[in-house]
C-alpha cells in the first residue's frame, strides 16, 4: 500500500493504517483514479462479501468490469474529476453469480488515490423491514391492550343495561366484522347487558346430545375448549344448542353471514361456562386468519365478561336471599279498630331493606292495641339480626299483656337469657279503650320519649325512663296518659331527629316545634308532614308510628289541609314502592277516588326518575280540587319520551301508560327537570273500549 503515502509526523504509521483497514469489518478498497478507477487493494471483509479470493480484485477497473454495474457512470466520472466525496448506488456480482446492491461511500485521499467503503443494502433493507414489522407489532399490541382496557371499563359498569352490546360493537369496530354475546341461564339467550335476569326473548332450552354432534353444547359443557368454527349451512341436531345458535345467527346477520364462518368462543366463569362470544372474522380466513393480538383480545374479553357475569350472578343470588330474609323481618302495620294509625320505616343502608330499627302495631284484643318502637345500636346486618330476635321476643311478651311495665319486665327477663349481640332501646305502649275513651300506658327502656300533640300544642312525655332492654332488673313502671279525641301520639327512633350538626336535645326541640305547626288532621298527613320537614336526608334508620284518636264526627272530605305533600326519595328501586304507598295513603286521607290510577302514574314516573335520572327524587302531590296533580323531579335534564317499547326486551311503555291515565308534561328545573301529570278522574280505560 505504498500509494497511501507517508503519515503525518507523530501520527500512526503507514503499516498500522494498513493493518487497521485490513482488520475493519466494513468492506473497503483503495482505488486509483489515474487511469479509469482500478482497485489497488481490498481488505478481507470485501473479499468475503464478494466471494472472491484475496488478490482477485486487484487491478479491476470498476468503470469497465462487467462484475460492477454503475447506474450513472457519467456522474461518477464528474465526481472523480472534481475530487468530491460522494455515495453512488452500485451493484456487484458475487463470485457465485448473485447480484448485491450496495451503496459505495467514496472519498479522495491523496491525488488520484480514493478509498471506498461498501454498505450492503440487502442487510439494511432487512433491518428496516424488521424494524417496521416490530413497530407494527408493538402498535397492534398497544391497540389490543387499549381495547382490553376499554372492555374492562365497560364490564365494570354492571348497571349499564347495554354493556355487552357496547362491548360487541367495540370488537366489531376494531378487530372483527361482527360480534355478539349469548348467556347461558338454563338455556341460551341473546344478551345486551350483564343483568342476570333473563328477558322474555327466545332462548334455547337446556338439552343433552351425544358428544361431537352438538359442538356448541360441547363448548358450554366444557368438553371442548374452542373456538368452534360454525358452519351455518351444515345440519345440526334438532333442539341442540348448535341448531338454536345457527337459527339466531342466520336471522340476525342476514346477508352478513357471507364470508368467514362465525367463531364461537366460550365465556368462562369460575366453575363453568356462563355463555358464548360469537364473532365473524374479517375476510375469509376463519380462525386461521386471526392474528395473535386479535386472539388475545377475544380471549381476554371473554374471560373478563365471564368473570363479571359470574360476579353479577353471585351478587344477585346473595341480594335476593338477603331481600327474602329482610322482607320477612320488615315491620308490618296490623289492622286496628278505633284508631287512626300511620307507620313509616326506612333503613339508612344503601343496599339494605331493614336495619336495627323496628316498629309493631298489634291488635291485642277488641279494645286493646299494642304499639312498639325500638332501636338496636347500628344499622348493619348484625343489627338487623338482633332486631329480628328482639321483635319476636317483644311480640310474645306483649301478646297477652294489659300493662306496659309488666310486658317490658318480661322482655328484660327473656333477653337477659339470650345472647343478643347488640344493645337496644325501646318504648312499649298498651292502648286500652274503655267507655269510648282511650288510655295509653307507656314504658321506656332507654328510648326517646313519645310525643303528644293536643290542640296545636306538642310536648314530650318524659315520664319514667329506664335502662336499655335486658338491663331492667324487674320493677319496670308505665306512665299512663288519658287521651282525648283528636290527640296524636308520635313514636319515633333517633334517625328522625338526630344530626351531626346539632345535639339530640336540639333535635327534640325541633321535633316539638314542627309537630306544633302541623296542619294535617289525619295520621297519614301528620306523618308525611313530619317526614317532609325532618327526614329529607336522614343519617340513621328511621321508624315512625303516628297514632291519632279520631273524633266521632270526623269527616275527611271536609278537611281542608294538607292539600299538598312532598317526599324526597333516594334514587333506588325501593323508592318506587315507597312512592306507591305514599300516594295510596294520601288518596285515602284526602278521600280521592281512583287511587289505583294515581298509584300507577306515580309508580311509572318515579321508576323513570330512578332508572334514567340521578341524585335524589322529589315527589309532590297536589289536590287541585278536580283531580290529583303529581310532580316528580330528578337531576337528569333530558325530557321523557313516549315509545312503543324496547325491541327485544321488556319495558319502554311507562309514559304510554301515563298518557292513558293523565295529562302530562315537563319543565326544566334548577336541579334538572320536573315531570308533572294530572290524573284524570274515572276508572282505568279498557283496551279497545270507549275512550281508549
Amino acid at each position: 500500500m505504498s500509494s497511501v503515502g507517508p503519515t503525518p509526523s507523530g501520527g500512526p504509521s503507514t503499516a498500522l493504517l494498513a493493518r487497521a483497514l485490513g482488520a475493519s469489518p466494513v468492506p473497503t478498497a483503495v482505488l486509483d483514479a489515474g487511469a479509469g478507477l482500478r482497485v489497488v487493494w481490498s481488505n478481507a471483509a470485501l473479499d468475503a462479501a464478494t466471494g472472491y479470493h484475496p488478490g482477485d480484485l486487484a487491478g479491476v477497473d470498476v468503470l469497465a468490469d462487467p462484475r460492477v454495474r454503475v447506474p450513472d457512470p457519467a456522474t461518477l466520472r464528474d465526481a472523480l474529476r472534481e475530487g468530491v466525496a460522494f455515495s453512488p448506488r452500485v451493484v456487484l456480482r458475487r463470485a457465485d453469480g448473485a447480484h448485491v446492491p450496495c451503496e459505495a461511500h467514496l472519498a479522495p485521499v491523496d491525488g488520484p488515490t480514493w478509498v471506498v467503503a461498501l454498505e450492503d443494502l440487502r442487510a439494511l433493507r432487512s433491518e428496516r423491514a424488521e424494524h417496521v414489522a416490530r413497530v407494527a407489532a408493538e402498535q397492534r399490541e398497544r391497540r389490543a391492550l387499549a381495547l382490553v382496557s376499554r372492555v374492562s371499563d365497560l364490564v365494570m359498569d354492571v348497571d349499564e343495561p347495554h354493556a355487552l352490546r357496547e362491548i360487541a360493537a367495540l370488537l366489531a369496530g376494531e378487530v372483527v366484522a361482527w360480534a355478539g354475546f349469548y348467556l347461558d341461564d338454563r338455556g341460551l339467550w341473546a344478551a345486551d347487558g350483564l343483568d342476570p335476569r333473563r328477558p322474555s326473548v327466545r332462548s334455547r332450552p337446556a338439552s343433552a346430545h351425544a358428544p361431537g354432534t352438538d359442538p356448541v353444547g360441547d363448548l358450554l359443557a366444557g368438553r371442548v375448549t374452542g373456538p368452534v368454527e360454525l358452519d351455518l349451512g351444515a345440519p345440526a341436531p334438532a333442539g341442540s344448542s348448535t341448531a338454536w345458535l345457527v337459527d339466531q345467527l342466520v336471522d340476525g346477520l342476514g346477508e352478513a353471514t357471507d364470508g368467514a364462518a362465525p367463531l364461537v368462543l366460550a365465556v368462562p366463569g369460575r366453575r363453568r361456562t356462563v355463555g358464548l362470544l360469537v364473532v365473524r372474522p374479517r375476510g375469509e380466513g376463519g380462525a386461521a386468519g386471526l392474528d395473535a393480538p386479535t386472539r388475545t383480545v377475544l380471549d381476554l374479553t371473554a374471560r373478563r365478561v365471564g368473570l363479571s357475569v359470574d360476579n353479577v350472578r353471585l351478587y344477585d343470588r346473595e341480594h335476593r336471599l338477603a331481600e327474602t330474609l329482610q322482607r320477612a323481618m320488615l315491620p308490618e302495620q296490623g289492622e286496628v279498630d278505633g284508631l287512626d294509625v300511620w307507620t313509616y320505616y326506612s333503613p339508612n343502608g344503601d343496599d339494605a331493606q331493614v336495619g336495627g330499627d323496628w316498629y309493631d302495631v298489634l291488635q291485642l284484643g277488641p279494645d286493646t292495641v299494642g304499639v312498639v318502637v325500638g332501636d338496636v345500636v347500628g344499622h348493619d346486618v348484625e343489627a338487623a339480626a338482633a332486631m329480628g330476635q328482639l321483635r319476636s321476643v317483644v311480640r310474645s311478651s306483649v301478646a297477652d299483656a294489659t300493662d306496659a311495665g309488666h310486658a317490658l319486665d318480661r322482655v328484660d327477663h327473656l333477653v337477659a337469657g339470650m345472647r343478643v349481640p347488640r344493645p337496644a332501646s325501646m318504648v312499649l305502649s298498651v292502648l286500652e279503650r274503655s267507655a269510648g275513651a282511650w288510655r295509653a300506658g307507656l314504658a321506656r327502656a332507654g328510648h326517646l320519649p313519645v310525643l303528644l300533640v293536643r290542640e296545636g300544642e306538642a310536648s314530650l312525655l318524659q315520664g319514667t325512663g329506664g335502662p336499655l332492654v335486658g338491663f331492667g332488673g324487674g320493677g319496670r313502671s308505665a306512665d299512663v296518659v288519658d287521651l282525648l279525641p283528636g290527640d296524636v301520639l308520635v313514636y319515633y327512633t333517633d334517625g328522625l331527629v338526630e344530626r351531626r350538626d346539632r345535639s339530640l336535645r336540639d333535635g327534640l326541640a325541633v321535633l316539638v316545634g314542627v309537630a306544633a305547626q302541623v296542619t294535617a288532621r289525619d295520621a297519614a298527613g301528620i306523618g308525611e308532614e313530619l317526614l317532609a320537614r325532618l327526614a329529607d336526608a336522614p343519617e340513621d334508620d328511621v321508624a315512625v308510628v303516628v297514632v291519632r284518636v279520631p273524633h266521632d264526627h270526623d269527616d275527611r272530605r271536609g278537611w281542608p289541609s294538607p292539600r299538598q305533600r312532598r317526599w324526597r326519595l333516594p334514587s333506588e328501586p325501593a323508592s318506587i314502592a315507597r312512592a306507591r304507598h305514599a300516594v295510596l295513603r294520601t288518596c285515602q286521607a284526602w278521600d280521592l277516588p281512583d287511587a289505583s290510577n294515581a298509584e300507577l302514574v306515580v309508580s311509572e314516573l318515579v321508576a323513570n326518575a330512578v332508572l334514567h335520572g340521578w341524585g335524589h327524587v322529589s315527589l309532590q302531590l297536589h289536590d287541585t280540587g278536580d283531580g290529583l296533580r303529581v310532580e316528580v323531579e330528578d337531576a337528569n335534564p333530558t325530557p321523557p319520551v313516549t315509545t312503543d317499547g324496547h325491541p327485544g326486551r321488556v319495558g319502554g311503555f311507562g309514559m304510554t301508560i301515563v298518557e292513558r291515565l293523565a295529562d302530562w308534561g315537563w319543565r326544566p328545573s334548577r336541579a334538572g327537570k320536573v315531570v308533572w301529570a294530572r290524573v284524570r278522574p274515572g276508572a282505568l280505560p279498557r283496551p279497545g273500549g270507549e275512550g281508549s
Side-chain angles (χ1 to χ4, degrees), residues 1-4 14-33 37-47 50 53-62 109 112-118:
M1 291 185 59
S2 58
S3 61
V4 174
T14 302
L16 180 59
L17 291 175
R19 288 197 301 272
L21 288 174
S24 172
V26 179
T28 306
V30 176
L31 307 176
D32 185 0
L37 188 60
R38 297 183 180 277
V39 176
V40 176
W41 172 87
S42 62
N43 65 359
L46 180 60
D47 295 337
T50 57
H53 297 293
D56 287 354
L57 297 178
V60 171
D61 187 351
V62 172
V109 178
T113 303
W114 291 67
V115 64
V116 60
L118 299 177

Side-chain angles (χ1 to χ4, degrees), residues 536 566-573 575-576 578-579 602 605-620 631-636 673:
D536 266 2
R566 177 183 176 275
W567 297 264
R568 188 166 181 261
L569 308 170
S571 184
E572 59 186 27
S575 295
I576 303 171
R578 180 183 167 191
V602 167
L605 294 183
V606 173
N608 276 347
V610 169
L611 291 174
H612 306 297
W614 52 83
H616 279 75
V617 177
S618 174
L619 168 64
Q620 294 191 52
E631 293 188 357
V632 176
E633 182 179 17
D634 66 77
N636 184 355
K673 70 172 180 300

Side-chain angles (χ1 to χ4, degrees), residues 472-634:
R476 296 270 193 181
S477 60
D479 297 309
V480 179
V481 179
D482 291 319
L483 301 176
L484 303 177
D487 282 358
V488 176
L489 295 177
V490 180
Y491 305 76
Y492 54 94
T493 56
D494 56 3
L496 183 68
V497 295
E498 193 170 24
R499 298 291 182 272
R500 293 187 181 91
D501 58 351
R502 71 185 182 206
S503 67
L504 181 58
R505 177 174 296 183
D506 292 338
L508 291 174
V510 171
L511 171 63
V512 171
V514 169
Q517 298 173 8
V518 168
T519 58
R521 294 175 58 183
D522 64 321
I526 294 168
E528 300 292 3
E529 280 199 49
L530 291 176
L531 288 181
R533 299 180 63 179
L534 296 172
D536 266 2
E539 298 172 1
D540 200 351
D541 304 339
V542 177
V544 182
V545 177
V546 178
V547 178
R548 179 181 178 274
V549 180
H551 287 283
D552 293 336
H553 59 274
D554 277 350
D555 182 2
R556 292 180 178 178
R557 288 173 296 182
W559 293 353
S561 64
R563 290 310 189 190
Q564 175 177 324
R565 292 182 180 176
R566 177 183 176 275
W567 297 264
R568 188 166 181 261
L569 308 170
S571 184
E572 59 186 27
S575 295
I576 303 171
R578 180 183 167 191
R580 289 201 306 267
H581 297 157
V583 72
L584 285 176
R585 289 195 298 266
T586 301
C587 288
Q588 182 182 12
W590 293 350
D591 199 26
L592 296 178
D594 305 314
S596 59
N597 291 4
E599 178 190 12
L600 193 53
V601 169
V602 167
S603 177
E604 294 297 340
L605 294 183
V606 173
N608 276 347
V610 169
L611 291 174
H612 306 297
W614 52 83
H616 279 75
V617 177
S618 174
L619 168 64
Q620 294 191 52
L621 303 178
H622 305 264
D623 182 6
T624 63
D626 59 350
L628 184 69
R629 179 183 174 90
V630 180
E631 293 188 357
V632 176
E633 182 179 17
D634 66 77

Side-chain angles (χ1 to χ4, degrees), residues 257-564:
T257 55
D258 298 336
L263 300 179
V264 185
L265 296 86
V267 176
R270 290 180 176 84
R271 292 186 176 89
R272 70 176 187 91
T273 300
V274 299
L276 302 171
L277 168 59
V278 183
V279 301
R280 188 169 67 83
R282 294 171 177 171
E284 299 182 357
L290 297 178
D291 56 15
T294 300
R295 287 178 176 271
T296 300
V297 167
L298 296 178
D299 182 63
L300 290 178
T301 297
R303 291 181 180 277
R304 297 196 178 191
V305 168
L307 185 60
S308 296
V309 170
D310 231 7
N311 288 339
V312 169
R313 285 176 173 169
L314 178 61
Y315 172 80
D316 185 68
R317 286 195 297 269
E318 292 181 347
H319 188 65
R320 287 174 182 268
L321 176 61
E323 276 192 349
T324 302
L325 294 175
Q326 290 179 62
R327 286 183 185 275
M329 292 194 298
L330 281 176
E332 298 179 1
Q333 177 182 331
E335 293 293 331
V336 297
D337 181 37
L339 292 173
D340 181 14
V341 179
W342 174 89
T343 57
Y344 172 80
Y345 177 77
S346 176
N348 188 53
D350 292 335
D351 301 317
Q353 296 189 48
V354 63
D357 293 9
W358 87 95
Y359 69 81
D360 257 325
V361 180
L362 307 169
Q363 185 84 53
L364 304 177
D367 297 306
T368 308
V369 176
V371 179
V372 181
V373 170
D375 183 358
V376 176
V377 174
H379 44 80
D380 52 12
V381 175
E382 189 175 79
M387 180 274 289
Q389 290 178 285
L390 288 173
R391 183 177 174 219
S392 299
V393 169
V394 173
R395 279 199 160 198
S396 64
S397 300
V398 79
D400 57 353
T402 57
D403 182 271
H406 293 165
L408 191 51
D409 277 335
R410 191 181 304 174
V411 172
D412 283 332
H413 177 72
L414 293 174
V415 171
M418 301 169 58
R419 295 185 177 179
V420 178
R422 299 287 182 87
S425 66
M426 184 176 65
V427 58
L428 188 154
S429 67
V430 177
L431 288 79
E432 294 181 284
R433 178 170 51 185
S434 177
W438 286 92
R439 171 176 290 185
L442 307 171
R444 288 196 296 137
H447 200 78
L448 297 174
V450 176
L451 180 71
L452 172 65
V453 182
R454 175 177 291 172
E455 296 182 352
E457 294 186 3
S459 60
L460 297 172
L461 301 178
Q462 299 285 355
T464 304
L468 295 175
V469 177
F471 299 94
R476 296 270 193 181
S477 60
D479 297 309
V480 179
V481 179
D482 291 319
L483 301 176
L484 303 177
D487 282 358
V488 176
L489 295 177
V490 180
Y491 305 76
Y492 54 94
T493 56
D494 56 3
L496 183 68
V497 295
E498 193 170 24
R499 298 291 182 272
R500 293 187 181 91
D501 58 351
R502 71 185 182 206
S503 67
L504 181 58
R505 177 174 296 183
D506 292 338
L508 291 174
V510 171
L511 171 63
V512 171
V514 169
Q517 298 173 8
V518 168
T519 58
R521 294 175 58 183
D522 64 321
I526 294 168
E528 300 292 3
E529 280 199 49
L530 291 176
L531 288 181
R533 299 180 63 179
L534 296 172
D536 266 2
E539 298 172 1
D540 200 351
D541 304 339
V542 177
V544 182
V545 177
V546 178
V547 178
R548 179 181 178 274
V549 180
H551 287 283
D552 293 336
H553 59 274
D554 277 350
D555 182 2
R556 292 180 178 178
R557 288 173 296 182
W559 293 353
S561 64
R563 290 310 189 190
Q564 175 177 324

